[in-house]
Amino acid sequence: QKFCRSNLEDIPFSGNGRKHNAIVSCRALEELCDLMNPKGRYYKMNMQNLKKGRQPTLEFRQHSSTSNYEKVIFWVRFCMALVHHSARQPRPSALMPEEDAF
């Protein structure tokens, strides 16, 4: 899909363990953004705003278009829970504070 590429599939390592290690080994936010969005912004999780310093936001592109209220509300709740849980975790020690968009 052109506008909703898989972040996982485009990480240039085979196997989930190697992909996870590549993510964990990033030392700067820009490096993480390049790894997760190597071909621009059209990924299921777009991190380009963080990389460019425009605004500290992530864009989720996973869900298909729908007017079904239940599908929408469950997707919004999932995204909010994911972000909330992630924000409560300590910052990865590898990321340098001056590279942190937050």
Side-chain angles (χ1 to χ4, degrees), residues 43-91:
Y43 283 88
K44 293 177 181 178
M45 185 176 65
N46 173 17
M47 300 177 72
Q48 293 301 301
N49 282 336
L50 294 174
K51 178 181 176 182
K52 296 176 181 176
R54 287 185 29 199
Q55 53 194 6
T57 61
L58 294 175
E59 178 182 16
F60 297 98
R61 296 173 174 252
Q62 177 74 27
H63 204 285
S64 60
S65 61
T66 184
S67 59
N68 180 306
Y69 174 80
E70 286 191 9
K71 286 184 177 181
V72 172
I73 198 67
F74 285 125
W75 177 246
V76 170
R77 286 179 181 167
F78 168 78
C79 290
M80 289 176 62
L82 175 68
V83 171
H84 177 74
H85 177 74
S86 298
R88 292 180 58 195
Q89 302 304 309
R91 176 195 331 220

Side-chain angles (χ1 to χ4, degrees), residues 11-63:
I11 295 176
F13 298 97
S14 62
N16 287 339
R18 289 186 180 143
K19 291 173 190 264
H20 178 265
N21 289 338
I23 292 168
V24 172
S25 69
C26 290
R27 299 289 180 239
L29 182 59
E30 185 173 333
E31 185 181 357
L32 178 62
C33 293
D34 287 341
L35 179 68
M36 296 301 293
N37 298 150
K39 297 177 183 173
R41 66 187 181 128
Y42 296 113
Y43 283 88
K44 293 177 181 178
M45 185 176 65
N46 173 17
M47 300 177 72
Q48 293 301 301
N49 282 336
L50 294 174
K51 178 181 176 182
K52 296 176 181 176
R54 287 185 29 199
Q55 53 194 6
T57 61
L58 294 175
E59 178 182 16
F60 297 98
R61 296 173 174 252
Q62 177 74 27
H63 204 285

